[in-house]
């Protein structure tokens, strides 16, 4: 590292230490500070996009400074990537806690669809960040060494569930676990991404509690009818 770089890093470290002294309870919790920045940044990115989000605004809402944020994440792109990774990690952690392996294949599939539908509804920032990343053609996601591994485990979970269903004669043969994941994601994602426009266009509140419950049931039924043999559904 150059002398200039050494000085910059030293100044950044000094800034972090000063900020920690000014924020009681934070000085012994650097990971808590980092996570707080990511949470606030996720909201800003979801609301304003990558180009519209401002580090000044994020710093003001996190009891930190611009220099402190740059110390942790390097630059705004680094902060955005960390926020994106955190969003994917959260949904995958929720899936891992479902204990699908302890359920019958049909019940496991139903539980997975229900979880995905509810999670997306309750975490609209995640959906918006995925939409923003698609605007950027997935170029930031491609830089991540974390997200790929997270999604490998998600597909493995569906593959295990599907193979159990095949072995028990419950699921249709010839399906691709990745495409099952696609269909589940598509139905649950659209419920958030296009809810406002559908509600306006057709003068019906698709966000109302009763409508959300109905849409969730419909989504579960659609996926089950796609994956499960017709005769198994009537048993």
């Amino acid at each position: 590292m150059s002398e200039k770089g050494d000085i910059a890093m030293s100044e950044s470290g000094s800034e972090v230490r000063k900020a920690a002294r000014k924020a009681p309870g934070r000085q012994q919790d650097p990971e808590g500070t980092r996570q707080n920045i990511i949470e606030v940044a996720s909201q800003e990115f979801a609301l304003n996009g990558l180009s519209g989000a401002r580090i000044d605004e994020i710093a003001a809402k996190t009891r930190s400074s611009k220099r402190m944020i740059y110390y942790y994440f390097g630059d705004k792109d680094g902060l955005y990537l960390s926020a994106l990774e955190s969003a994917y990690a959260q949904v995958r952690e929720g899936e891992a806690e479902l204990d699908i392996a302890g359920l019958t294949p049909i019940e496991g599939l139903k539980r997975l669809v229900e979880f995905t539908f509810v999670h997306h509804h309750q975490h609209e920032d995640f959906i918006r960040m995925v939409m923003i990343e698609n605007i950027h053609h997935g170029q930031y996601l491609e830089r991540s060494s974390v997200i790929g591994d997270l999604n490998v485990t998600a597909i493995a979970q569906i593959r295990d569930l599907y193979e159990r269903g095949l072995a028990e004669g419950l699921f249709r043969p010839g399906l691709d676990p990745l495409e099952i994941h696609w269909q589940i994601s598509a139905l649950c994602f659209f419920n958030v991404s296009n809810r406002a426009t559908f509600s306006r266009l057709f003068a019906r509140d698709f966000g109302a509690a009763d409508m959300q419950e109905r849409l969730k049931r419909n989504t579960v039924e659609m996926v089950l009818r796609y994956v499960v043999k017709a005769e198994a559904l009537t048993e």
Side-chain angles (χ1 to χ4, degrees), residues 45-130:
F45 287 129
L47 182 63
N48 300 303
L50 176 56
S51 60
R54 295 288 178 262
I55 295 295
D56 285 330
E57 189 70 17
I58 294 169
K61 293 179 178 180
T62 56
R63 295 182 297 169
S64 62
S65 66
K66 289 175 63 175
R67 183 170 291 183
M68 192 173 186
I69 291 173
Y70 290 141
Y71 176 81
Y72 279 114
F73 302 99
D75 54 20
K76 187 164 78 168
D77 284 0
L79 176 56
Y80 168 77
L81 181 56
S82 293
L84 193 64
E85 289 175 341
S86 178
Y88 273 98
Q90 188 175 45
V91 65
R92 299 305 170 227
E93 287 168 3
E95 290 171 349
E97 294 173 358
L98 290 176
D99 190 27
I100 289 176
L103 301 174
T104 66
I106 293 178
E107 281 300 312
L109 182 59
K110 178 181 177 182
R111 179 77 62 84
L112 179 61
V113 177
E114 289 175 338
F115 165 81
T116 306
F117 189 94
V118 172
H119 177 277
H120 289 1
H121 175 62
Q122 293 179 344
H123 298 82
E124 295 188 4
D125 286 354
F126 169 70
I127 302 302
R128 294 193 178 100
M129 287 198 68
V130 174

Coordinates of all heavy atoms in Angstrom, one line a residue, residues 45-130:
F45 N -31.7 2.2 -0.7 CA -31.5 1.7 -2.0 C -32.9 1.3 -2.6 O -33.2 1.5 -3.8 CB -30.6 0.5 -2.0 CG -29.1 0.9 -1.8 CD1 -28.3 0.3 -0.8 CD2 -28.5 1.9 -2.6 CE1 -27.0 0.7 -0.6 CE2 -27.2 2.3 -2.4 CZ -26.4 1.7 -1.4
A46 N -33.7 0.6 -1.7 CA -35.0 0.1 -2.2 C -35.9 1.3 -2.6 O -36.7 1.2 -3.5 CB -35.7 -0.7 -1.1
L47 N -35.8 2.4 -1.9 CA -36.6 3.6 -2.1 C -36.1 4.4 -3.3 O -37.0 4.9 -4.1 CB -36.7 4.4 -0.9 CG -37.6 5.7 -0.9 CD1 -39.1 5.3 -1.1 CD2 -37.5 6.5 0.3
N48 N -34.8 4.6 -3.4 CA -34.3 5.5 -4.4 C -33.4 4.9 -5.4 O -33.0 5.7 -6.3 CB -33.4 6.6 -3.6 CG -34.3 7.3 -2.6 OD1 -35.3 8.0 -2.9 ND2 -33.9 7.3 -1.3
G49 N -33.2 3.6 -5.4 CA -32.3 3.0 -6.4 C -30.8 3.2 -6.0 O -30.5 4.0 -5.1
L50 N -29.9 2.6 -6.8 CA -28.5 2.7 -6.5 C -28.0 4.1 -6.8 O -27.3 4.7 -6.0 CB -27.7 1.7 -7.4 CG -26.2 1.8 -7.3 CD1 -25.7 1.6 -5.9 CD2 -25.6 0.7 -8.2
S51 N -28.4 4.7 -7.9 CA -27.9 6.1 -8.2 C -28.6 7.1 -7.3 O -28.0 8.2 -7.0 CB -28.2 6.4 -9.7 OG -29.6 6.3 -9.9
G52 N -29.8 6.9 -6.9 CA -30.5 7.9 -6.1 C -30.2 7.9 -4.6 O -30.4 9.0 -3.9
A53 N -29.8 6.8 -4.1 CA -29.4 6.7 -2.7 C -28.2 7.6 -2.4 O -27.3 7.7 -3.2 CB -29.1 5.3 -2.3
R54 N -28.2 8.2 -1.2 CA -27.2 9.2 -0.8 C -26.5 8.7 0.5 O -27.2 8.4 1.5 CB -27.7 10.6 -0.6 CG -28.3 11.2 -1.9 CD -27.1 11.6 -2.8 NE -27.6 12.2 -4.1 CZ -27.8 11.5 -5.2 NH1 -27.5 10.2 -5.2 NH2 -28.2 12.1 -6.3
I55 N -25.2 8.6 0.4 CA -24.4 8.2 1.6 C -24.6 9.2 2.8 O -24.7 8.8 3.9 CB -22.9 8.2 1.3 CG1 -22.6 7.0 0.3 CG2 -22.1 7.9 2.5 CD1 -23.0 5.6 0.8
D56 N -24.8 10.5 2.4 CA -25.0 11.5 3.5 C -26.3 11.1 4.3 O -26.4 11.2 5.5 CB -25.2 12.9 2.9 CG -23.9 13.5 2.5 OD1 -22.9 13.2 3.1 OD2 -23.9 14.3 1.5
E57 N -27.4 10.8 3.5 CA -28.6 10.4 4.1 C -28.5 9.2 5.0 O -29.1 9.1 6.1 CB -29.7 10.2 3.1 CG -31.1 10.1 3.6 CD -31.7 11.4 4.1 OE1 -31.1 12.5 3.9 OE2 -32.7 11.3 4.9
I58 N -27.8 8.2 4.5 CA -27.6 6.9 5.2 C -26.8 7.2 6.5 O -27.2 6.7 7.6 CB -26.9 5.9 4.3 CG1 -27.8 5.5 3.1 CG2 -26.5 4.7 5.1 CD1 -27.0 4.7 2.1
A59 N -25.8 8.0 6.4 CA -25.0 8.3 7.6 C -25.8 9.0 8.6 O -25.7 8.7 9.8 CB -23.8 9.2 7.2
A60 N -26.7 10.0 8.2 CA -27.5 10.7 9.1 C -28.4 9.8 9.9 O -28.8 10.1 11.0 CB -28.2 11.8 8.4
K61 N -28.9 8.7 9.3 CA -29.9 7.9 9.9 C -29.2 6.7 10.7 O -29.9 5.9 11.3 CB -30.8 7.3 8.8 CG -31.7 8.3 8.2 CD -32.6 7.7 7.1 CE -33.5 8.8 6.5 NZ -34.4 8.2 5.4
T62 N -27.9 6.6 10.7 CA -27.2 5.5 11.4 C -26.3 6.0 12.5 O -25.5 5.1 13.0 CB -26.4 4.7 10.4 OG1 -25.5 5.6 9.7 CG2 -27.3 4.0 9.4
R63 N -26.3 7.2 12.8 CA -25.4 7.7 13.9 C -23.9 7.4 13.5 O -23.1 7.1 14.4 CB -25.7 7.1 15.3 CG -27.1 7.5 15.8 CD -27.4 6.9 17.2 NE -27.4 5.5 17.1 CZ -27.4 4.7 18.1 NH1 -27.3 5.2 19.4 NH2 -27.4 3.4 18.0
S64 N -23.6 7.5 12.3 CA -22.3 7.2 11.8 C -21.9 8.4 10.9 O -22.6 9.4 10.8 CB -22.1 5.9 11.1 OG -22.9 5.9 9.9
S65 N -20.8 8.3 10.2 CA -20.3 9.3 9.3 C -20.0 8.7 7.9 O -19.9 7.5 7.7 CB -19.0 9.9 9.8 OG -18.0 9.0 9.8
K66 N -19.9 9.5 6.9 CA -19.6 9.0 5.6 C -18.3 8.3 5.6 O -18.2 7.2 5.0 CB -19.5 10.2 4.6 CG -20.8 10.8 4.2 CD -20.7 12.1 3.4 CE -20.0 11.7 2.0 NZ -20.0 12.9 1.1
R67 N -17.3 8.8 6.3 CA -16.0 8.2 6.3 C -16.1 6.8 7.0 O -15.4 5.9 6.6 CB -15.0 9.1 7.0 CG -13.6 8.5 7.0 CD -12.5 9.5 7.5 NE -12.4 10.6 6.6 CZ -11.5 11.6 6.7 NH1 -10.7 11.6 7.8 NH2 -11.4 12.6 5.8
M68 N -16.9 6.8 8.0 CA -17.1 5.5 8.7 C -17.7 4.4 7.8 O -17.3 3.3 7.7 CB -17.9 5.7 9.9 CG -17.9 4.5 10.9 SD -18.9 4.9 12.4 CE -18.6 3.5 13.4
I69 N -18.7 4.9 7.0 CA -19.3 4.0 6.0 C -18.3 3.5 5.0 O -18.2 2.3 4.6 CB -20.5 4.6 5.4 CG1 -21.6 4.8 6.4 CG2 -21.0 3.8 4.2 CD1 -22.8 5.6 5.9
Y70 N -17.5 4.4 4.5 CA -16.5 4.1 3.5 C -15.4 3.1 4.1 O -14.9 2.3 3.4 CB -15.8 5.4 3.0 CG -16.7 6.2 2.1 CD1 -16.7 7.6 2.2 CD2 -17.6 5.6 1.2 CE1 -17.5 8.4 1.4 CE2 -18.4 6.4 0.4 CZ -18.4 7.8 0.5 OH -19.2 8.5 -0.3
Y71 N -15.1 3.3 5.4 CA -14.2 2.4 6.1 C -14.7 1.0 6.1 O -13.9 0.0 5.8 CB -14.0 2.9 7.5 CG -13.1 2.0 8.3 CD1 -11.7 2.1 8.2 CD2 -13.6 1.1 9.2 CE1 -10.9 1.3 9.0 CE2 -12.8 0.2 10.0 CZ -11.4 0.3 9.8 OH -10.6 -0.5 10.6
Y72 N -16.0 0.8 6.3 CA -16.6 -0.5 6.4 C -16.8 -1.1 5.0 O -16.6 -2.3 4.8 CB -17.9 -0.5 7.1 CG -17.8 -0.5 8.6 CD1 -18.2 0.6 9.4 CD2 -17.3 -1.6 9.3 CE1 -18.1 0.6 10.8 CE2 -17.2 -1.6 10.7 CZ -17.6 -0.5 11.4 OH -17.5 -0.5 12.8
F73 N -17.2 -0.3 4.0 CA -17.7 -0.9 2.8 C -16.9 -0.4 1.5 O -17.2 -0.9 0.4 CB -19.2 -0.5 2.6 CG -20.0 -1.0 3.7 CD1 -20.4 -0.2 4.8 CD2 -20.4 -2.3 3.8 CE1 -21.2 -0.6 5.8 CE2 -21.2 -2.8 4.8 CZ -21.6 -2.0 5.8
G74 N -16.0 0.5 1.7 CA -15.2 0.9 0.6 C -15.7 2.1 -0.2 O -15.2 3.1 -0.3
D75 N -17.0 1.9 -0.8 CA -17.6 2.9 -1.5 C -19.1 2.6 -1.6 O -19.6 1.6 -0.9 CB -17.1 3.1 -2.9 CG -17.0 1.8 -3.7 OD1 -17.8 0.8 -3.3 OD2 -16.3 1.7 -4.7
K76 N -19.9 3.4 -2.3 CA -21.4 3.2 -2.3 C -21.7 1.8 -3.0 O -22.6 1.1 -2.6 CB -22.1 4.3 -3.0 CG -23.6 4.2 -2.9 CD -24.3 5.5 -3.3 CE -24.4 5.7 -4.8 NZ -25.3 6.8 -5.1
D77 N -20.9 1.5 -4.0 CA -21.1 0.2 -4.7 C -20.9 -1.0 -3.7 O -21.7 -2.0 -3.7 CB -20.2 0.0 -5.9 CG -20.6 0.9 -7.1 OD1 -21.7 1.5 -7.0 OD2 -19.9 0.8 -8.1
G78 N -19.9 -0.9 -2.9 CA -19.6 -1.9 -1.9 C -20.7 -2.0 -0.8 O -21.1 -3.1 -0.4
L79 N -21.3 -0.9 -0.4 CA -22.4 -0.9 0.5 C -23.6 -1.5 -0.1 O -24.3 -2.3 0.5 CB -22.7 0.6 0.9 CG -23.9 0.8 1.9 CD1 -23.8 -0.1 3.1 CD2 -24.0 2.2 2.2
Y80 N -23.9 -1.1 -1.4 CA -25.0 -1.7 -2.1 C -24.9 -3.2 -2.2 O -25.9 -4.0 -2.0 CB -25.1 -1.1 -3.5 CG -26.1 -1.8 -4.4 CD1 -27.5 -1.6 -4.3 CD2 -25.6 -2.6 -5.4 CE1 -28.4 -2.3 -5.1 CE2 -26.5 -3.3 -6.3 CZ -27.9 -3.1 -6.1 OH -28.7 -3.8 -7.0
L81 N -23.7 -3.7 -2.5 CA -23.5 -5.1 -2.7 C -23.7 -5.8 -1.3 O -24.3 -6.9 -1.3 CB -22.1 -5.4 -3.2 CG -21.8 -6.9 -3.4 CD1 -22.8 -7.6 -4.4 CD2 -20.4 -7.1 -4.0
S82 N -23.2 -5.2 -0.2 CA -23.4 -5.8 1.1 C -24.9 -5.9 1.5 O -25.3 -6.8 2.1 CB -22.6 -5.0 2.1 OG -21.2 -5.1 1.9
A83 N -25.6 -4.8 1.1 CA -27.1 -4.8 1.4 C -27.8 -5.9 0.6 O -28.7 -6.6 1.1 CB -27.6 -3.4 1.1
L84 N -27.4 -6.1 -0.7 CA -28.0 -7.1 -1.5 C -27.7 -8.5 -1.0 O -28.6 -9.3 -0.9 CB -27.4 -7.0 -2.9 CG -28.1 -7.8 -4.0 CD1 -29.5 -7.3 -4.3 CD2 -27.3 -7.6 -5.4
E85 N -26.5 -8.7 -0.5 CA -26.1 -10.0 0.1 C -26.9 -10.3 1.3 O -27.4 -11.4 1.6 CB -24.6 -10.0 0.4 CG -23.7 -10.1 -0.9 CD -22.3 -10.0 -0.6 OE1 -21.9 -9.5 0.5 OE2 -21.4 -10.4 -1.5
S86 N -27.1 -9.2 2.2 CA -27.8 -9.4 3.4 C -29.3 -9.7 3.1 O -29.9 -10.6 3.8 CB -27.7 -8.1 4.2 OG -28.5 -8.2 5.4
A87 N -29.9 -9.1 2.1 CA -31.2 -9.4 1.7 C -31.4 -10.8 1.3 O -32.4 -11.5 1.7 CB -31.7 -8.5 0.6
Y88 N -30.5 -11.4 0.5 CA -30.6 -12.8 0.1 C -30.4 -13.7 1.2 O -31.0 -14.8 1.3 CB -29.6 -13.1 -1.1 CG -30.2 -12.8 -2.4 CD1 -29.9 -11.6 -3.1 CD2 -31.0 -13.7 -3.1 CE1 -30.4 -11.3 -4.3 CE2 -31.5 -13.4 -4.4 CZ -31.2 -12.2 -5.0 OH -31.7 -11.9 -6.2
A89 N -29.4 -13.4 2.1 CA -29.1 -14.2 3.3 C -30.4 -14.3 4.2 O -30.6 -15.4 4.7 CB -28.0 -13.6 4.0
Q90 N -31.1 -13.3 4.3 CA -32.3 -13.3 5.2 C -33.3 -14.3 4.7 O -33.9 -15.0 5.5 CB -32.8 -11.9 5.3 CG -33.9 -11.7 6.4 CD -34.4 -10.3 6.5 OE1 -34.6 -9.6 5.5 NE2 -34.5 -9.9 7.7
V91 N -33.6 -14.3 3.4 CA -34.6 -15.2 2.9 C -34.2 -16.6 3.0 O -34.9 -17.5 3.3 CB -35.1 -14.8 1.5 CG1 -34.0 -14.9 0.5 CG2 -36.3 -15.6 1.1
R92 N -32.9 -16.8 2.7 CA -32.4 -18.2 2.7 C -32.3 -18.7 4.2 O -32.6 -19.9 4.4 CB -31.0 -18.3 2.1 CG -30.9 -17.9 0.6 CD -31.9 -18.7 -0.2 NE -32.0 -18.2 -1.5 CZ -33.2 -17.9 -2.2 NH1 -34.3 -18.2 -1.6 NH2 -33.2 -17.4 -3.4
E93 N -32.0 -17.9 5.1 CA -32.0 -18.3 6.5 C -33.4 -18.7 7.0 O -33.6 -19.7 7.7 CB -31.5 -17.2 7.4 CG -30.0 -16.9 7.3 CD -29.6 -15.6 8.0 OE1 -30.4 -14.9 8.6 OE2 -28.4 -15.3 7.9
G94 N -34.4 -18.0 6.5 CA -35.8 -18.3 6.8 C -36.2 -19.6 6.2 O -36.9 -20.5 6.9
E95 N -35.8 -19.9 5.0 CA -36.1 -21.2 4.4 C -35.4 -22.4 5.1 O -36.0 -23.4 5.3 CB -35.6 -21.2 2.9 CG -36.3 -20.3 2.0 CD -35.7 -20.2 0.6 OE1 -34.5 -20.6 0.5 OE2 -36.3 -19.6 -0.3
A96 N -34.2 -22.1 5.6 CA -33.5 -23.2 6.3 C -34.1 -23.5 7.7 O -34.0 -24.7 8.2 CB -32.0 -22.7 6.6
E97 N -34.9 -22.6 8.2 CA -35.6 -22.9 9.5 C -36.9 -23.6 9.4 O -37.6 -23.9 10.4 CB -35.8 -21.5 10.2 CG -34.4 -20.9 10.7 CD -34.6 -19.5 11.2 OE1 -35.8 -19.0 11.3 OE2 -33.7 -18.9 11.6
L98 N -37.3 -23.8 8.1 CA -38.7 -24.4 7.9 C -38.7 -25.9 8.3 O -39.8 -26.4 8.5 CB -39.0 -24.3 6.4 CG -39.4 -22.9 5.9 CD1 -39.6 -22.9 4.4 CD2 -40.6 -22.3 6.7
D99 N -37.6 -26.6 8.4 CA -37.6 -28.0 8.7 C -38.4 -28.8 7.7 O -39.2 -29.7 8.1 CB -38.0 -28.3 10.1 CG -37.7 -29.7 10.6 OD1 -36.8 -30.4 10.0 OD2 -38.5 -30.2 11.4
I100 N -38.3 -28.5 6.4 CA -39.0 -29.2 5.4 C -38.7 -30.7 5.4 O -39.6 -31.5 5.0 CB -38.8 -28.6 4.0 CG1 -39.4 -27.2 4.0 CG2 -39.3 -29.4 2.9 CD1 -39.1 -26.4 2.7
A101 N -37.5 -31.1 5.7 CA -37.1 -32.5 5.7 C -38.0 -33.3 6.7 O -38.1 -34.5 6.5 CB -35.6 -32.6 6.1
G102 N -38.5 -32.7 7.7 CA -39.4 -33.4 8.6 C -40.8 -33.5 8.2 O -41.6 -34.1 8.9
L103 N -41.2 -33.0 7.0 CA -42.6 -33.0 6.5 C -42.7 -34.0 5.4 O -41.7 -34.3 4.7 CB -43.0 -31.6 6.1 CG -42.9 -30.5 7.2 CD1 -43.2 -29.1 6.5 CD2 -43.9 -30.8 8.3
T104 N -43.9 -34.3 5.1 CA -44.2 -35.1 3.8 C -43.8 -34.2 2.7 O -43.9 -33.0 2.8 CB -45.7 -35.5 3.7 OG1 -46.5 -34.4 3.6 CG2 -46.1 -36.3 5.0
P105 N -43.5 -34.8 1.5 CA -43.2 -34.0 0.3 C -44.2 -32.9 0.0 O -43.9 -31.8 -0.3 CB -43.0 -35.0 -0.8 CG -42.6 -36.2 -0.1 CD -43.3 -36.2 1.2
I106 N -45.5 -33.3 0.0 CA -46.6 -32.3 -0.4 C -46.7 -31.2 0.7 O -46.8 -30.0 0.3 CB -47.9 -33.1 -0.6 CG1 -47.8 -34.0 -1.8 CG2 -49.0 -32.1 -0.7 CD1 -49.1 -34.8 -2.0
E107 N -46.6 -31.6 1.9 CA -46.7 -30.6 3.0 C -45.5 -29.7 3.0 O -45.5 -28.5 3.3 CB -46.8 -31.3 4.4 CG -48.3 -31.7 4.7 CD -49.3 -30.6 4.7 OE1 -49.0 -29.6 5.3 OE2 -50.3 -30.7 4.0
G108 N -44.3 -30.3 2.7 CA -43.1 -29.5 2.6 C -43.1 -28.5 1.5 O -42.7 -27.3 1.7
L109 N -43.6 -28.9 0.3 CA -43.8 -28.0 -0.8 C -44.8 -26.9 -0.5 O -44.5 -25.7 -0.7 CB -44.2 -28.7 -2.0 CG -44.4 -27.9 -3.3 CD1 -43.0 -27.3 -3.7 CD2 -44.9 -28.8 -4.5
K110 N -45.9 -27.2 0.2 CA -46.9 -26.2 0.6 C -46.2 -25.2 1.5 O -46.4 -24.0 1.4 CB -48.0 -26.9 1.2 CG -49.1 -26.0 1.7 CD -50.3 -26.8 2.4 CE -51.3 -25.8 2.9 NZ -52.4 -26.5 3.6
R111 N -45.5 -25.7 2.5 CA -44.9 -24.8 3.5 C -43.9 -23.9 2.9 O -43.8 -22.7 3.2 CB -44.2 -25.7 4.6 CG -43.5 -24.9 5.7 CD -44.5 -24.3 6.7 NE -45.2 -25.4 7.4 CZ -44.8 -26.0 8.4 NH1 -43.6 -25.8 8.9 NH2 -45.5 -27.0 9.0
L112 N -43.1 -24.4 1.9 CA -42.1 -23.6 1.2 C -42.8 -22.4 0.5 O -42.3 -21.3 0.5 CB -41.3 -24.4 0.3 CG -40.2 -23.7 -0.5 CD1 -39.2 -23.0 0.4 CD2 -39.5 -24.6 -1.5
V113 N -43.9 -22.7 -0.2 CA -44.6 -21.7 -1.0 C -45.2 -20.7 -0.1 O -45.1 -19.5 -0.4 CB -45.7 -22.4 -1.9 CG1 -46.4 -21.3 -2.7 CG2 -45.0 -23.3 -2.9
E114 N -45.8 -21.1 1.0 CA -46.4 -20.2 1.9 C -45.4 -19.3 2.5 O -45.6 -18.1 2.6 CB -47.1 -21.0 3.0 CG -48.4 -21.7 2.6 CD -49.0 -22.5 3.7 OE1 -48.3 -22.9 4.6 OE2 -50.2 -22.8 3.6
F115 N -44.2 -19.9 2.9 CA -43.2 -19.0 3.5 C -42.7 -18.0 2.5 O -42.5 -16.8 2.8 CB -42.0 -19.9 3.9 CG -40.7 -19.1 4.1 CD1 -40.5 -18.4 5.4 CD2 -39.8 -18.9 3.2 CE1 -39.4 -17.7 5.6 CE2 -38.6 -18.1 3.4 CZ -38.5 -17.5 4.6
T116 N -42.5 -18.4 1.2 CA -42.0 -17.4 0.2 C -42.9 -16.3 0.0 O -42.6 -15.1 -0.1 CB -41.7 -18.2 -1.1 OG1 -40.8 -19.3 -0.8 CG2 -41.0 -17.3 -2.1
F117 N -44.2 -16.7 -0.1 CA -45.3 -15.7 -0.3 C -45.3 -14.7 0.8 O -45.3 -13.4 0.6 CB -46.6 -16.3 -0.5 CG -47.7 -15.4 -0.9 CD1 -48.1 -15.3 -2.2 CD2 -48.4 -14.7 0.0 CE1 -49.1 -14.4 -2.7 CE2 -49.4 -13.8 -0.4 CZ -49.8 -13.7 -1.7
V118 N -45.3 -15.1 2.1 CA -45.4 -14.3 3.2 C -44.1 -13.4 3.4 O -44.2 -12.2 3.7 CB -45.7 -15.1 4.5 CG1 -45.6 -14.2 5.7 CG2 -47.1 -15.7 4.4
H119 N -43.0 -14.1 3.2 CA -41.7 -13.4 3.4 C -41.6 -12.2 2.4 O -41.3 -11.1 2.8 CB -40.5 -14.3 3.1 CG -39.2 -13.6 3.2 ND1 -38.7 -12.9 2.1 CD2 -38.3 -13.4 4.2 CE1 -37.5 -12.4 2.5 NE2 -37.3 -12.7 3.7
H120 N -41.9 -12.4 1.1 CA -41.9 -11.4 0.1 C -42.8 -10.2 0.5 O -42.5 -9.1 0.3 CB -42.1 -11.9 -1.3 CG -41.0 -12.8 -1.8 ND1 -39.9 -13.1 -1.1 CD2 -40.9 -13.4 -3.0 CE1 -39.1 -13.8 -1.8 NE2 -39.7 -14.1 -3.0
H121 N -44.0 -10.6 0.9 CA -45.0 -9.6 1.3 C -44.5 -8.8 2.5 O -44.7 -7.5 2.5 CB -46.3 -10.3 1.7 CG -47.4 -9.4 2.2 ND1 -47.9 -8.3 1.4 CD2 -48.0 -9.3 3.4 CE1 -48.8 -7.7 2.1 NE2 -48.9 -8.2 3.3
Q122 N -43.8 -9.4 3.4 CA -43.4 -8.7 4.6 C -42.0 -8.0 4.4 O -41.6 -7.2 5.2 CB -43.3 -9.6 5.8 CG -44.6 -10.2 6.2 CD -44.5 -11.2 7.4 OE1 -43.4 -11.7 7.6 NE2 -45.6 -11.5 8.0
H123 N -41.3 -8.3 3.3 CA -40.0 -7.7 3.1 C -40.0 -7.1 1.7 O -39.3 -7.6 0.8 CB -38.9 -8.8 3.2 CG -38.8 -9.3 4.6 ND1 -39.6 -10.4 5.0 CD2 -38.0 -9.0 5.6 CE1 -39.3 -10.6 6.3 NE2 -38.3 -9.9 6.7
E124 N -40.8 -6.0 1.5 CA -40.9 -5.4 0.2 C -39.5 -4.8 -0.3 O -39.3 -4.7 -1.5 CB -42.0 -4.4 0.2 CG -43.3 -4.9 0.4 CD -44.4 -3.9 0.3 OE1 -44.1 -2.8 -0.1 OE2 -45.6 -4.3 0.5
D125 N -38.7 -4.4 0.7 CA -37.4 -3.9 0.3 C -36.5 -4.9 -0.4 O -35.8 -4.6 -1.4 CB -36.6 -3.4 1.6 CG -37.1 -2.1 2.1 OD1 -38.0 -1.5 1.5 OD2 -36.7 -1.7 3.2
F126 N -36.7 -6.2 -0.1 CA -36.0 -7.2 -0.8 C -36.4 -7.3 -2.2 O -35.6 -7.4 -3.1 CB -36.2 -8.6 -0.1 CG -35.7 -9.8 -0.9 CD1 -34.4 -10.0 -1.0 CD2 -36.7 -10.6 -1.5 CE1 -34.0 -11.1 -1.8 CE2 -36.2 -11.7 -2.2 CZ -34.9 -12.0 -2.4
I127 N -37.7 -7.2 -2.5 CA -38.2 -7.3 -3.8 C -37.7 -6.1 -4.6 O -37.3 -6.2 -5.8 CB -39.7 -7.4 -3.8 CG1 -40.2 -8.6 -3.0 CG2 -40.3 -7.4 -5.3 CD1 -39.7 -9.9 -3.5
R128 N -37.8 -4.9 -4.0 CA -37.3 -3.7 -4.8 C -35.9 -3.8 -5.1 O -35.4 -3.3 -6.1 CB -37.7 -2.5 -3.9 CG -39.2 -2.3 -3.8 CD -39.5 -0.9 -3.3 NE -41.0 -0.7 -3.2 CZ -41.7 -0.8 -2.1 NH1 -41.1 -1.1 -0.9 NH2 -43.0 -0.7 -2.1
M129 N -35.1 -4.3 -4.2 CA -33.6 -4.4 -4.4 C -33.3 -5.4 -5.5 O -32.5 -5.2 -6.4 CB -32.9 -4.8 -3.2 CG -32.8 -3.7 -2.2 SD -31.5 -3.9 -0.9 CE -30.0 -3.8 -1.9
V130 N -34.1 -6.5 -5.6 CA -33.9 -7.4 -6.7 C -34.3 -6.8 -8.0 O -33.7 -7.0 -9.1 CB -34.8 -8.7 -6.4 CG1 -34.7 -9.6 -7.7 CG2 -34.2 -9.5 -5.2

